[in-house]
Amino acid sequence: MTLESFINEAISPWMLEDGPDKDIVMSSRVRLARNFADKLYPTSGNKEALEEVLQFIKKNYIKEEDTEQDSLTFIPMKQLNMIEKLVLVEKHLISPHLIKHSDYAAVLLSEQEQTSIMVNEEDHLRIQVYYPGLQLKKALEEAYYLDDWLEEEADYAFDETKGYLTSCPTNIGTGMRASIMLHLPALVLTKQINRLIPAINQLGLVVRGIYGEGSEARGNIFQISNQITLGKSEEDIVEDLESIVNQLVEHERMARQYIYEQSEISLEDRVFRSYGTLKNSRIIDSKEAATCISNLRLGIDLGIIENISENILNELMVLTQPGFLQHYANKALRSDERDIRRASIIRERLNLKK
Amino acid sequence: MECQECHERKATLHFKHIINGQETKVSLCEVCAKKKGYLTYPEEGFSLNDLLSGLFQKDGIPLNAAGTANSNQPKQPQELKCSSCGRTFSEFKKAGKFGCANCYASFDSKVEPILRRVHAGNTKHTGRIPKRAGKYIQQKQLISSHKEELKQLIEDEEFEKAAVLRDKIRELEKANHQDKEAGDNT
């Protein structure tokens, strides 16, 4: 496989599209959790029920001929090997949980990889929609459309006062988790982020690192999402989240400007050192890579470095993950082998120019 | 401070031994501490589920509803159990997950305090309603909001407008009643 085609595989097509505030907001995502009323939940561990749901989806929602909905491809987890599954997780198209229970799990994936519907995760259905930049409302609209389409064939588990009955009490009500991924290098550099995170938490929102629950903020990438799903409408949740993110974006911009004006030379030094490390290292672990890639992207955003695509952050973040490295090598790799492979793939990518 | 064992990672855990009054201190990283048997918590660490089930335990609901109050009568303890998936309330508390849609009704009285705690005191859904199956609910909510308006109109002595709205509500109620019956029959 050539590096170009491999990069194309790492980057979901929707990521290349333009979006508002794309220099700071990497993506907006809406996820809806839904269950069918008359079937036991995946959490019950009942195999017949799981199989039934899987067959039901296949029968009712997958059309053989080309129709409007045909862009969704049905992929049973059983058909994939471990590395292929890992790749889907690293592209955020499926959750790690789906892999753990892969005997009866599947995903419906759109061509642009903007939409994915997980089947038999913790809930029967997890509808997921991504948009580039800050576009949560659009993502919500698209998720609604899919929600209505899925509901046409079967009744959802829904209660007038409790809302959508999810398997976990933390999702009940709207069943919606809206989240936004942000690159905030200047807020980290100026240590403002330490003050901001507790304030955001107090507003019923959660801030965490890029790869979901429990992961640290690698490469200055943060994910902000709503905590509460009951008692607030979807629209209100989305609006609150967007208004917080707008403020964060503004603070990040101010911090970037401030650093640039106050200490241009040390900022340039930081950016070019990272660039040098990426261009020349022969062994690099994922943490160091993430830090350097973040600095490089900041340099591109501020015009310090030219002739490199601003998509480099999105691209390299995915390309340098363990699953992708092994996918590219076409074999399982130990962690020291991965560090070597990671360094070489980054060097190759930076030599591609553009 | 670096780990005294591997001298590579940062020491994040500090242990104090007191043997026969002799005090020694060891500083280790998490990996080495595990290797040396200092840490005994389960592999996966502390998960959201542990936190959740911790919350549920706090309710002070004994695992067996019958408890030990009446030890003289060896009665079968009556534990809450979901009639459709068979999950018991203690299983739910342990896993932090329901097993089916009916669990909510089965554990009803005990679910509400949990929801309140998880969702900042909220217990009522105010968001989306399923488009196809939820028509009846949507209508019902429309009617109740009209009724609120009606009350206001009467208070404001806008009787003509109120009469129009009253007729509209009657019509909606009639239509919705038929919808519901039709829905119940399918």
Side-chain angles (χ1 to χ4, degrees), chain B residues 44 59 101 150 156 174:
Chain B
E44 302 218 330
D59 284 335
L150 182 63
D156 299 345
K174 209 173 136 195

Side-chain angles (χ1 to χ4, degrees), chain A residues 26 181-184 208-210 216-223 294 313 317:
Chain A
M26 299 173 71
M181 202 111 86
L182 295 143
H183 182 223
L184 303 173
R208 56 182 160 221
I210 170 173
E216 56 177 315
R218 285 255 162 112
N220 302 322
I221 299 172
F222 296 85
Q223 185 185 311
S294 166
L313 180 68
M317 272 319 208

Side-chain angles (χ1 to χ4, degrees), chain A residues 110-258:
Chain A
S110 77
E111 223 168 287
Q112 295 278 308
E113 296 181 349
Q114 192 159 13
T115 302
S116 69
I117 302 169
M118 286 182 262
V119 182
N120 284 337
E121 212 249 17
E122 200 179 278
D123 296 293
H124 289 141
L125 300 170
R126 288 266 171 114
I127 305 165
Q128 220 177 221
V129 178
Y130 283 101
Y131 266 85
L134 185 53
Q135 304 191 75
L136 262 190
K137 284 186 186 116
K138 271 200 176 158
L140 183 64
E141 254 171 56
E142 179 65 25
Y144 276 174
Y145 172 77
L146 291 160
D147 189 27
D148 293 341
W149 171 64
L150 289 160
E151 200 242 343
E152 271 168 31
E153 305 295 332
D155 285 348
Y156 279 153
F158 180 84
D159 178 85
E160 201 182 330
T161 49
K162 295 198 181 74
Y164 293 94
L165 304 175
T166 51
S167 67
C168 185
T170 54
N171 293 319
I172 195 161
T174 60
M176 182 190 76
R177 196 76 61 198
S179 54
I180 289 178
M181 202 111 86
L182 295 143
H183 182 223
L184 303 173
L187 289 181
V188 174
L189 213 57
T190 55
K191 300 207 164 54
Q192 291 182 67
I193 197 77
N194 300 333
R195 279 189 295 111
L196 288 166
I197 289 177
I200 296 168
N201 286 338
Q202 285 193 337
L203 297 166
L205 301 173
V206 194
V207 186
R208 56 182 160 221
I210 170 173
Y211 278 92
E213 278 166 39
S215 56
E216 56 177 315
R218 285 255 162 112
N220 302 322
I221 299 172
F222 296 85
Q223 185 185 311
I224 302 184
S225 53
N226 62 303
Q227 171 85 296
I228 289 160
T229 55
L230 188 65
K232 258 170 108 177
S233 73
E234 290 86 346
E235 285 75 11
D236 286 349
I237 293 171
V238 161
E239 205 150 295
D240 289 356
L241 189 53
E242 280 202 340
S243 89
I244 296 296
V245 168
N246 272 324
Q247 292 177 51
L248 277 175
V249 168
E250 207 178 298
H251 280 291
E252 170 69 20
R253 288 232 165 84
M254 278 177 348
R256 285 183 186 189
Q257 200 57 39
Y258 177 80

Side-chain angles (χ1 to χ4, degrees), chain A residues 34 37 39-41 43-44 100 122 144 147-148 151-158 160-174 213 227-234, chain B residues 44 48-49 52 56 84-85 87 92 96-102 104-105 108 111-112 114-116 118-120 122-134 136-137 140-141:
Chain A
R34 299 288 186 257
K39 294 189 173 65
L40 297 186
Y41 290 178
T43 42
S44 72
K100 275 197 203 149
E122 200 179 278
Y144 276 174
D147 189 27
D148 293 341
E151 200 242 343
E152 271 168 31
E153 305 295 332
D155 285 348
Y156 279 153
F158 180 84
E160 201 182 330
T161 49
K162 295 198 181 74
Y164 293 94
L165 304 175
T166 51
S167 67
C168 185
T170 54
N171 293 319
I172 195 161
T174 60
E213 278 166 39
Q227 171 85 296
I228 289 160
T229 55
L230 188 65
K232 258 170 108 177
S233 73
E234 290 86 346
Chain B
E44 302 218 330
L48 179 71
N49 280 353
L52 268 181
F56 306 161
S84 45
C85 70
R87 182 162 293 217
F92 160 67
K97 310 273 148 101
F98 296 103
C100 70
N102 192 46
Y104 282 93
D108 190 36
V111 168
E112 205 174 293
I114 293 169
L115 296 186
R116 196 172 306 209
V118 176
H119 297 285
N122 299 327
T123 51
K124 199 171 169 353
H125 175 60
T126 53
R128 189 156 223 252
I129 294 163
K131 192 181 173 192
R132 182 184 50 81
Y136 169 71
I137 299 171
K140 216 170 87 180
Q141 292 189 344

Side-chain angles (χ1 to χ4, degrees), chain B:
Chain B
M1 181 190 264
E2 69 178 22
C3 170
Q4 292 176 3
E5 193 66 23
C6 62
H7 300 288
E8 273 178 22
R9 289 171 286 261
K10 228 170 115 183
T12 50
L13 297 156
H14 309 279
F15 300 91
K16 204 191 274 178
H17 287 279
I18 302 171
I19 302 164
N20 296 334
Q22 276 271 331
E23 199 181 291
T24 41
K25 285 181 186 165
V26 200
S27 299
L28 301 168
C29 69
E30 203 170 325
V31 181
C32 293
K34 241 186 219 169
K35 252 189 234 158
K36 304 215 88 185
Y38 280 101
L39 297 176
T40 46
Y41 58 71
E43 250 324 282
E44 302 218 330
F46 203 64
S47 72
L48 179 71
N49 280 353
D50 295 326
L51 271 178
L52 268 181
S53 47
L55 272 181
F56 306 161
Q57 308 287 2
K58 239 175 75 185
D59 284 335
I61 305 161
L63 286 184
N64 294 332
T68 48
N70 233 338
S71 51
N72 290 338
Q73 283 177 314
K75 246 170 100 189
Q76 192 76 350
Q78 282 285 311
E79 204 197 345
L80 274 180
K81 190 173 177 173
C82 175
S83 56
S84 45
C85 70
R87 182 162 293 217
T88 62
F89 189 66
S90 48
E91 278 171 349
F92 160 67
K93 282 204 291 190
K94 200 162 162 244
K97 310 273 148 101
F98 296 103
C100 70
N102 192 46
C103 282
Y104 282 93
S106 303
F107 308 139
D108 190 36
S109 60
K110 298 189 174 180
V111 168
E112 205 174 293
I114 293 169
L115 296 186
R116 196 172 306 209
R117 199 168 292 142
V118 176
H119 297 285
N122 299 327
T123 51
K124 199 171 169 353
H125 175 60
T126 53
R128 189 156 223 252
I129 294 163
K131 192 181 173 192
R132 182 184 50 81
K135 277 209 184 89
Y136 169 71
I137 299 171
Q138 283 165 3
Q139 287 291 326
K140 216 170 87 180
Q141 292 189 344
L142 182 67
I143 292 168
S144 72
S145 85
H146 277 333
K147 279 186 177 163
E148 285 295 311
E149 274 172 59
L150 182 63
K151 232 190 250 165
Q152 192 58 47
L153 286 175
I154 293 169
E155 255 171 49
D156 299 345
E157 302 187 0
E158 300 255 23
F159 297 117
E160 273 172 40
K161 282 184 190 163
V164 176
L165 193 60
R166 180 202 59 205
D167 292 343
K168 196 173 163 193
I169 291 170
R170 276 191 191 153
E171 233 168 82
L172 281 170
E173 277 180 330
K174 209 173 136 195
N176 210 25
H177 189 65
Q178 282 163 352
D179 271 1
K180 194 192 179 220
E181 296 210 321
D184 287 347
N185 289 335
T186 51

